[in-house]
Amino acid sequence: MEIRKSTPDDLDTLLQLYADARDFMAKNGNPSQWGSTYPSAALVQSDIDKGCSYVCIQNGQIAGTFYFKTGEDPSYREIFDGSWLNELPYGVIHRITSAAGTKGVASFIFQWCFQQCGNLKIDTHDDNLPMQKALRKNGFIHCGTIYLEDGSKRIAFQRER
């Protein structure tokens, strides 16, 4: 597998991956994290334009996608019912998904991000049990609760060197 930045030509494939992920989440007890429209095409295009959207390539095909950047995330300024492992500069991962039937994509993405920045923060929904399992499997520690700009509650995780 390899990682590269997403390009505008990838947009349709990324939107399909996100649609499939929303369907998977709804069928597996997590219908509200991304609802029926998140992330929007405009948001995914913005991620691409900012250089923060990446794809994971396996056997010449896009097997997954995610948002990654180093720097502060406003949603992580305050944490409740716990604390971050440290307050050092960090990388953040958002909107990670993989194609149906693929194996090991999330772990590969987490390892790649950790190589880019050895201090990572990420969050997920209470009902997203597959993501919580993947995070713990990849060395992320549950740190507490954060709230997104729209007030949505999320479980916060961090991994450090």
Side-chain angles (χ1 to χ4, degrees):
M1 282 190 258
E2 65 184 64
I3 303 284
R4 68 164 170 80
K5 286 194 181 228
S6 304
T7 69
D9 290 340
D10 298 326
L11 183 61
D12 289 342
T13 302
L14 303 187
L15 294 176
Q16 186 60 56
L17 283 172
Y18 286 125
D20 293 346
R22 288 190 300 269
D23 185 54
F24 174 85
M25 289 193 291
K27 289 177 179 173
N28 288 277
N30 184 18
S32 61
Q33 182 174 353
W34 285 356
S36 61
T37 59
Y38 183 86
S40 68
L43 179 58
V44 177
Q45 183 64 58
S46 175
D47 291 350
I48 293 169
D49 294 344
K50 291 176 186 174
C52 295
S53 176
Y54 293 83
V55 291
C56 181
I57 305 295
Q58 183 177 40
N59 300 322
Q61 300 293 320
I62 295 176
T65 186
F66 61 102
Y67 172 100
F68 175 76
K69 78 166 195 155
T70 55
E72 184 180 5
D73 186 303
S75 296
Y76 296 163
R77 287 184 186 140
E78 272 193 281
I79 188 166
F80 303 89
D81 303 321
S83 63
W84 294 114
L85 301 177
N86 65 60
E87 292 302 325
L88 299 171
Y90 59 91
V92 62
I93 306 167
H94 290 304
R95 296 184 279 287
I96 183 172
T97 190
S98 59
T102 58
K103 299 282 184 200
V105 175
S107 292
F108 187 82
I109 290 169
F110 293 143
Q111 294 305 319
W112 182 89
C113 291
F114 195 67
Q115 289 173 356
Q116 311 311 304
C117 179
N119 191 33
L120 298 174
K121 294 181 180 181
I122 189 170
D123 64 85
T124 194
H125 194 277
D126 282 326
D127 295 335
N128 196 338
L129 300 181
M131 179 57 71
Q132 292 175 46
K133 180 180 176 184
L135 290 168
R136 288 186 175 98
K137 173 184 165 189
N138 284 278
F140 286 84
I141 306 296
H142 174 250
C143 293
T145 302
I146 59 107
Y147 292 90
L148 305 179
E149 281 184 19
D150 68 2
S152 299
K153 177 183 169 189
R154 295 290 186 266
I155 304 169
F157 290 83
Q158 187 173 6
R159 180 178 173 194
E160 63 181 353
R161 288 203 198 280

